[in-house]
Short mmCIF file of all heavy atoms in Angstrom, two decimals:
data_model
loop_
_atom_site.label_atom_id
_atom_site.label_comp_id
_atom_site.label_asym_id
_atom_site.label_seq_id
_atom_site.Cartn_x
_atom_site.Cartn_y
_atom_site.Cartn_z
N VAL N 1 4.03 -8.70 6.92
CA VAL N 1 2.91 -9.43 7.55
C VAL N 1 1.97 -9.98 6.49
O VAL N 1 1.50 -11.12 6.57
CB VAL N 1 2.16 -8.49 8.52
CG1 VAL N 1 0.91 -9.17 9.04
CG2 VAL N 1 3.07 -8.10 9.68
N SER N 2 1.67 -9.18 5.46
CA SER N 2 0.79 -9.66 4.40
C SER N 2 1.43 -10.80 3.62
O SER N 2 0.73 -11.73 3.20
CB SER N 2 0.45 -8.50 3.45
OG SER N 2 -0.41 -8.93 2.43
N GLN N 3 2.73 -10.77 3.46
CA GLN N 3 3.44 -11.86 2.77
C GLN N 3 3.30 -13.16 3.55
O GLN N 3 3.09 -14.23 2.97
CB GLN N 3 4.92 -11.48 2.61
CG GLN N 3 5.80 -12.58 2.01
CD GLN N 3 5.56 -12.74 0.52
OE1 GLN N 3 5.31 -11.77 -0.17
NE2 GLN N 3 5.64 -13.97 0.04
N LEU N 4 3.38 -13.09 4.86
CA LEU N 4 3.31 -14.30 5.68
C LEU N 4 1.88 -14.84 5.77
O LEU N 4 1.69 -16.07 5.84
CB LEU N 4 3.84 -14.00 7.09
CG LEU N 4 5.33 -13.62 7.18
CD1 LEU N 4 5.69 -13.24 8.60
CD2 LEU N 4 6.21 -14.76 6.69
N ILE N 5 0.89 -13.99 5.78
CA ILE N 5 -0.49 -14.41 6.01
C ILE N 5 -1.26 -14.57 4.71
O ILE N 5 -1.98 -15.57 4.51
CB ILE N 5 -1.21 -13.43 6.95
CG1 ILE N 5 -0.51 -13.40 8.32
CG2 ILE N 5 -2.67 -13.79 7.11
CD1 ILE N 5 -1.10 -12.41 9.28
N GLU N 6 -1.13 -13.59 3.81
CA GLU N 6 -1.99 -13.54 2.62
C GLU N 6 -1.30 -13.96 1.33
O GLU N 6 -1.97 -14.17 0.33
CB GLU N 6 -2.53 -12.11 2.44
CG GLU N 6 -3.35 -11.62 3.62
CD GLU N 6 -3.77 -10.18 3.46
OE1 GLU N 6 -2.91 -9.34 3.11
OE2 GLU N 6 -4.96 -9.86 3.68
N GLY N 7 -0.01 -14.02 1.32
CA GLY N 7 0.68 -14.42 0.10
C GLY N 7 1.32 -13.23 -0.61
O GLY N 7 1.07 -12.05 -0.29
N GLY N 8 2.13 -13.54 -1.60
CA GLY N 8 2.90 -12.52 -2.29
C GLY N 8 2.06 -11.54 -3.10
O GLY N 8 2.36 -10.34 -3.16
N ARG N 9 0.99 -12.04 -3.74
CA ARG N 9 0.16 -11.17 -4.57
C ARG N 9 -0.49 -10.06 -3.72
O ARG N 9 -0.46 -8.89 -4.06
CB ARG N 9 -0.91 -11.98 -5.28
CG ARG N 9 -1.76 -11.18 -6.26
CD ARG N 9 -2.94 -12.03 -6.70
NE ARG N 9 -2.51 -13.21 -7.41
CZ ARG N 9 -2.32 -13.28 -8.71
NH1 ARG N 9 -2.52 -12.21 -9.46
NH2 ARG N 9 -1.94 -14.40 -9.28
N LYS N 10 -1.08 -10.45 -2.59
CA LYS N 10 -1.74 -9.47 -1.73
C LYS N 10 -0.74 -8.56 -1.05
O LYS N 10 -1.02 -7.37 -0.83
CB LYS N 10 -2.56 -10.22 -0.66
CG LYS N 10 -3.50 -9.33 0.13
CD LYS N 10 -4.58 -8.74 -0.74
CE LYS N 10 -5.57 -7.93 0.08
NZ LYS N 10 -6.62 -7.30 -0.75
N ALA N 11 0.44 -9.08 -0.74
CA ALA N 11 1.47 -8.24 -0.14
C ALA N 11 1.91 -7.14 -1.10
O ALA N 11 2.07 -5.98 -0.70
CB ALA N 11 2.67 -9.10 0.27
N THR N 12 2.09 -7.49 -2.36
CA THR N 12 2.44 -6.48 -3.35
C THR N 12 1.34 -5.45 -3.51
O THR N 12 1.61 -4.24 -3.62
CB THR N 12 2.73 -7.16 -4.70
OG1 THR N 12 3.75 -8.14 -4.54
CG2 THR N 12 3.17 -6.13 -5.73
N ASP N 13 0.09 -5.93 -3.49
CA ASP N 13 -1.04 -5.01 -3.61
C ASP N 13 -1.08 -4.03 -2.44
O ASP N 13 -1.30 -2.82 -2.63
CB ASP N 13 -2.34 -5.81 -3.66
CG ASP N 13 -3.56 -4.91 -3.72
OD1 ASP N 13 -3.80 -4.30 -4.78
OD2 ASP N 13 -4.27 -4.80 -2.70
N ARG N 14 -0.86 -4.52 -1.24
CA ARG N 14 -0.88 -3.62 -0.08
C ARG N 14 0.29 -2.65 -0.10
O ARG N 14 0.14 -1.48 0.29
CB ARG N 14 -0.87 -4.44 1.22
CG ARG N 14 -2.17 -5.20 1.48
CD ARG N 14 -2.18 -5.79 2.88
NE ARG N 14 -3.41 -6.53 3.14
CZ ARG N 14 -4.53 -5.97 3.61
NH1 ARG N 14 -4.56 -4.66 3.84
NH2 ARG N 14 -5.60 -6.71 3.84
N LEU N 15 1.44 -3.07 -0.56
CA LEU N 15 2.59 -2.18 -0.65
C LEU N 15 2.33 -1.05 -1.64
O LEU N 15 2.56 0.13 -1.34
CB LEU N 15 3.83 -2.97 -1.05
CG LEU N 15 5.10 -2.13 -1.32
CD1 LEU N 15 5.52 -1.40 -0.05
CD2 LEU N 15 6.22 -3.02 -1.84
N VAL N 16 1.84 -1.41 -2.83
CA VAL N 16 1.57 -0.39 -3.84
C VAL N 16 0.46 0.55 -3.38
O VAL N 16 0.53 1.76 -3.57
CB VAL N 16 1.21 -1.06 -5.18
CG1 VAL N 16 0.79 -0.02 -6.21
CG2 VAL N 16 2.39 -1.86 -5.70
N THR N 17 -0.58 -0.01 -2.73
CA THR N 17 -1.65 0.83 -2.21
C THR N 17 -1.13 1.82 -1.18
O THR N 17 -1.50 3.00 -1.18
CB THR N 17 -2.75 -0.05 -1.58
OG1 THR N 17 -3.26 -0.95 -2.57
CG2 THR N 17 -3.88 0.81 -1.05
N GLY N 18 -0.25 1.35 -0.31
CA GLY N 18 0.32 2.24 0.69
C GLY N 18 1.15 3.34 0.07
O GLY N 18 1.10 4.50 0.51
N VAL N 19 1.93 3.02 -0.95
CA VAL N 19 2.74 4.03 -1.62
C VAL N 19 1.86 5.06 -2.31
O VAL N 19 2.12 6.28 -2.24
CB VAL N 19 3.71 3.36 -2.62
CG1 VAL N 19 4.43 4.41 -3.46
CG2 VAL N 19 4.73 2.49 -1.89
N VAL N 20 0.81 4.60 -2.99
CA VAL N 20 -0.09 5.53 -3.70
C VAL N 20 -0.81 6.44 -2.71
O VAL N 20 -0.90 7.66 -2.92
CB VAL N 20 -1.10 4.73 -4.54
CG1 VAL N 20 -2.17 5.66 -5.10
CG2 VAL N 20 -0.38 4.02 -5.68
N VAL N 21 -1.32 5.88 -1.62
CA VAL N 21 -2.01 6.70 -0.61
C VAL N 21 -1.04 7.71 0.00
O VAL N 21 -1.38 8.88 0.23
CB VAL N 21 -2.64 5.80 0.47
CG1 VAL N 21 -3.18 6.64 1.62
CG2 VAL N 21 -3.74 4.96 -0.13
N GLY N 22 0.18 7.27 0.27
CA GLY N 22 1.17 8.19 0.82
C GLY N 22 1.50 9.32 -0.14
O GLY N 22 1.64 10.49 0.28
N ALA N 23 1.62 9.01 -1.43
CA ALA N 23 1.89 10.05 -2.42
C ALA N 23 0.73 11.03 -2.51
O ALA N 23 0.92 12.25 -2.65
CB ALA N 23 2.17 9.42 -3.78
N PHE N 24 -0.51 10.50 -2.43
CA PHE N 24 -1.69 11.38 -2.47
C PHE N 24 -1.71 12.32 -1.26
O PHE N 24 -1.95 13.53 -1.41
CB PHE N 24 -2.95 10.52 -2.49
CG PHE N 24 -4.21 11.29 -2.24
CD1 PHE N 24 -4.73 12.13 -3.21
CD2 PHE N 24 -4.87 11.18 -1.02
CE1 PHE N 24 -5.90 12.85 -2.98
CE2 PHE N 24 -6.03 11.90 -0.78
CZ PHE N 24 -6.54 12.73 -1.77
N LEU N 25 -1.46 11.78 -0.07
CA LEU N 25 -1.44 12.63 1.12
C LEU N 25 -0.32 13.65 1.06
O LEU N 25 -0.48 14.80 1.50
CB LEU N 25 -1.30 11.76 2.37
CG LEU N 25 -2.48 10.81 2.66
CD1 LEU N 25 -2.17 9.94 3.87
CD2 LEU N 25 -3.76 11.59 2.87
N LEU N 26 0.82 13.26 0.51
CA LEU N 26 1.94 14.19 0.39
C LEU N 26 1.60 15.33 -0.56
O LEU N 26 1.96 16.48 -0.32
CB LEU N 26 3.18 13.44 -0.11
CG LEU N 26 4.48 14.25 -0.22
CD1 LEU N 26 4.89 14.75 1.16
CD2 LEU N 26 5.59 13.42 -0.84
N ALA N 27 0.89 15.01 -1.65
CA ALA N 27 0.48 16.06 -2.59
C ALA N 27 -0.62 16.94 -2.00
O ALA N 27 -0.76 18.11 -2.38
CB ALA N 27 0.00 15.43 -3.90
N LEU N 28 -1.41 16.38 -1.08
CA LEU N 28 -2.52 17.13 -0.49
C LEU N 28 -2.05 18.06 0.63
O LEU N 28 -2.73 19.05 0.92
CB LEU N 28 -3.55 16.14 0.06
CG LEU N 28 -4.97 16.65 0.30
CD1 LEU N 28 -5.58 17.11 -1.02
CD2 LEU N 28 -5.82 15.56 0.94
N LEU N 29 -0.92 17.77 1.23
CA LEU N 29 -0.45 18.58 2.35
C LEU N 29 -0.24 20.05 2.00
O LEU N 29 -0.65 20.93 2.77
CB LEU N 29 0.84 17.98 2.92
CG LEU N 29 0.68 16.75 3.82
CD1 LEU N 29 2.04 16.24 4.26
CD2 LEU N 29 -0.17 17.11 5.04
N PRO N 30 0.42 20.39 0.87
CA PRO N 30 0.57 21.83 0.56
C PRO N 30 -0.76 22.56 0.41
O PRO N 30 -0.89 23.70 0.86
CB PRO N 30 1.36 21.82 -0.76
CG PRO N 30 2.06 20.52 -0.78
CD PRO N 30 1.14 19.56 -0.10
#
């Protein structure tokens, strides 16, 4: 969705942000 609306740069930023947040939550769960 971000690729279609905001462009490739913002889409990459949102993907990396999502991966980082997911890794943080995964480390916080234990």
Side-chain angles (χ1 to χ4, degrees):
V1 173
S2 181
Q3 175 74 35
L4 296 175
I5 298 177
E6 300 175 313
R9 185 191 297 270
K10 191 65 176 178
T12 304
D13 177 73
R14 289 190 181 273
L15 174 62
V16 175
T17 301
V19 172
V20 171
V21 172
F24 168 74
L25 295 176
L26 184 63
L28 200 62
L29 282 178

